[in-house]
């Protein structure tokens, strides 16, 4: 079923819609446009938890824009897919190269953000947004642990508190989806289950070529299967029981973005009882929200762009005051 233009009017298509709306709010600084663009009861899930209601979105956007008033976010990719005939889900990858003034010195900051947005009849209904705030800290010379201590994890609400969808190829958190590019989607889901969850790291080469790229948090680029394996090990080490739940998936094929991309919304669930990378171990459970955009070429994953908020993860860990000791870890 074709997508009704009411889903993205007055723009040409959902890609154009997302890029123009984002620029209007964040570059032209028309913060009041959020009132027209978001439903009053819209829901936004981020690294620090869930915000319910449009007013919270307006306040949060105002504060972020004020912190970096010269901010320019460039659309690096828009992976959109229909949700019925009057709605779409977009996975908007934004690259920013801003300049902060620190003690009179200009400091360039490079980072990525991914916003998964569910729009129905041109109005925002629900959003899942992740930011690489670790990149800010590292490039500004700030202590990530100290920055995290100034943040509060508010917890999740709504869809994020429900069990993961049984079959995301049929319907994810955003609702029923078209059955597009099933073989490639099944391959990506198998990759996540085999390599990420089952820890069969040697199988990276079954799904990825030698010259793979992983762009990840801290504005880092990881090369080749060996680098990918080491990065995944370091991500899991503080959470040895970590499991990645897929909450949603969408696909889009466009030559301007190098072909077929598959965006996956995931939540890493684990307990902080492994390597004490983020301070004293608590043993408490954490829910890490993340988005990965996979580029699939010739039936293989040639690139992944992975974004999650490690600073918010630290804040979530800090919200648990209990201590934990396990002498069998090492």
């Amino acid at each position: 079923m074709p997508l009704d233009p009411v889903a993205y009017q007055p723009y040409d298509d959902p890609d154009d819609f997302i890029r123009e709306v984002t620029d209007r709010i964040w570059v032209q600084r028309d913060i009041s446009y959020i009132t027209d663009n978001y439903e009053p009861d819209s829901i936004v899930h981020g690294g620090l938890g869930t915000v319910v209601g449009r007013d919270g979105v307006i306040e949060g956007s105002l504060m972020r824009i004020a912190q970096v008033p010269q901010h320019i976010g460039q659309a690096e990719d828009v992976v959109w897919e229909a949700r019925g005939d009057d709605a779409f889900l977009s996975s908007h990858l934004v690259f920013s190269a801003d300049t902060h003034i620190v003690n009179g010195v200009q400091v360039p900051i490079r980072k990525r953000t991914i916003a998964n947005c569910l729009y129905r009849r041109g109005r925002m209904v629900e959003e899942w947004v992740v930011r690489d705030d670790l990149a800010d800290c590292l490039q500004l010379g700030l202590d990530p642990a100290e920055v995290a201590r100034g943040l509060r994890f508010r917890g999740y609400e709504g869809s994020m508190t429900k069990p993961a969808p049984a079959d995301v190829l049929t319907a994810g958190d955003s609702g029923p989806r078209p059955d597009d590019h099933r073989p490639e989607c099944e391959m990506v889901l198998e990759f996540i289950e085999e390599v990420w969850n089952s820890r069969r790291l040697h199988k990276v080469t079954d799904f990825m070529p030698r010259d793979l790229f992983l762009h990840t948090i801290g504005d880092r680029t990881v090369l080749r299967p060996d680098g990918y394996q080491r990065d995944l090990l370091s991500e899991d080490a503080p959470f040895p029981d970590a499991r990645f739940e897929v909450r949603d998936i969408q696909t889009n094929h466009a030559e301007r973005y190098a072909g077929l991309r598959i965006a996956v919304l995931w939540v890493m669930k684990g307990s902080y009882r492994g390597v004490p990378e983020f301070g004293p171990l608590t043993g408490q459970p954490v829910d890490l929200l993340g988005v990965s955009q996979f580029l699939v070429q010739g039936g293989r994953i040639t690139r992944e762009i992975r974004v999650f908020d490690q600073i918010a993860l630290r804040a979530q860990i800090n919200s648990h005051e209990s201590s934990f000791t396990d002498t069998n870890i090492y």
Side-chain angles (χ1 to χ4, degrees):
M1 180 180 296
L3 187 60
D4 191 318
V6 72
Y8 51 81
Q9 288 176 340
Y11 302 102
D12 294 336
D13 55 31
D15 187 306
D16 192 37
F17 180 102
I18 287 297
R19 288 186 289 110
E20 293 298 329
V21 165
T22 303
D23 256 30
R24 180 166 176 176
I25 296 171
W26 291 92
V27 178
Q28 300 174 29
R29 306 188 187 98
D30 185 0
I31 302 173
S32 68
Y33 184 61
I34 294 175
T35 303
D36 301 321
N37 190 242
Y38 281 65
E39 291 288 2
D41 58 352
S42 58
I43 300 172
V44 178
H45 311 284
L48 289 172
T50 302
V51 174
V52 179
R54 186 171 56 198
D55 291 345
V57 176
I58 293 172
E59 292 177 5
S61 301
L62 174 64
M63 290 186 288
R64 281 191 173 270
I65 291 172
Q67 288 174 334
V68 191
Q70 77 281 8
H71 169 81
I72 298 292
Q74 180 74 20
E76 192 172 352
D77 204 334
V78 179
V79 183
W80 71 267
E81 188 176 77
R83 290 295 181 267
D85 62 356
D86 66 347
F88 66 88
L89 176 68
S90 66
S91 185
H92 184 195
L93 172 64
V94 179
F95 177 81
S96 58
D98 298 327
T99 300
H100 292 238
I101 306 299
V102 181
N103 298 324
V105 178
Q106 292 187 342
V107 180
I109 305 295
R110 294 164 40 98
K111 66 182 291 186
R112 285 182 170 92
T113 297
I114 299 181
N116 278 21
C117 302
L118 177 61
Y119 273 92
R120 190 169 303 282
R121 304 183 71 85
R123 303 271 289 183
M124 175 76 80
V125 177
E126 192 164 4
E127 180 178 4
W128 299 260
V129 59
V130 285
R131 297 180 174 90
D132 180 13
D133 283 348
L134 176 64
D136 285 283
C137 292
L138 296 180
Q139 294 168 76
L140 288 170
L142 302 176
D143 180 2
E146 185 63 29
V147 172
R149 280 192 282 271
L151 301 176
R152 180 179 64 87
F153 178 69
R154 65 179 67 89
Y156 288 111
E157 300 180 38
S159 62
M160 288 286 289
T161 65
K162 298 176 182 178
D167 180 8
V168 292
L169 293 182
T170 300
D173 282 351
S174 62
R177 61 174 299 274
D179 192 21
D180 293 339
H181 303 287
R182 174 172 280 269
E184 293 86 355
C185 288
E186 289 177 338
M187 184 266 293
V188 167
L189 294 179
E190 182 185 3
F191 168 74
I192 291 174
E193 183 59 33
E194 287 288 297
V195 176
W196 290 15
N197 285 331
S198 298
R199 311 294 199 274
R200 296 188 175 99
L201 273 64
H202 65 287
K203 286 195 170 185
V204 168
T205 53
D206 291 352
F207 300 90
M208 293 176 149
R210 180 197 64 185
D211 299 323
L212 70 92
F213 287 84
L214 166 65
H215 303 295
T216 188
I217 64 167
D219 188 39
R220 294 185 300 114
T221 297
V222 175
L223 303 177
R224 300 203 172 195
D226 176 68
Y228 193 98
Q229 292 169 337
R230 287 186 281 108
D231 181 82
L232 189 59
L233 282 169
S234 66
E235 187 175 321
D236 288 350
F239 315 98
D241 60 344
R243 181 168 180 82
F244 295 82
E245 292 184 350
V246 176
R247 308 287 314 194
D248 224 325
I249 191 168
Q250 70 239 61
T251 69
N252 183 266
H253 189 286
E255 294 304 322
R256 66 178 294 178
Y257 297 121
L260 177 62
R261 293 95 62 235
I262 299 176
V264 176
L265 176 73
W266 50 263
V267 174
M268 187 277 284
K269 291 181 175 290
S271 52
Y272 183 51
R273 60 184 182 86
V275 175
E277 182 177 348
F278 308 119
L281 298 175
T282 65
Q284 297 295 322
V286 297
D287 292 336
L288 175 63
L289 179 66
V291 179
S292 290
Q293 290 188 356
F294 298 95
L295 175 64
V296 177
Q297 297 175 318
R300 292 166 72 78
I301 300 168
T302 60
R303 184 191 71 202
E304 179 190 352
I305 299 177
R306 183 192 306 157
V307 180
F308 58 91
D309 190 343
Q310 191 195 90
I311 307 303
L313 173 64
R314 289 175 179 269
Q316 186 178 164
I317 291 170
N318 293 343
S319 68
H320 300 298
E321 298 179 355
S322 64
S323 61
F324 175 81
T325 302
D326 187 345
T327 57
N328 294 320
I329 290 178
Y330 299 107

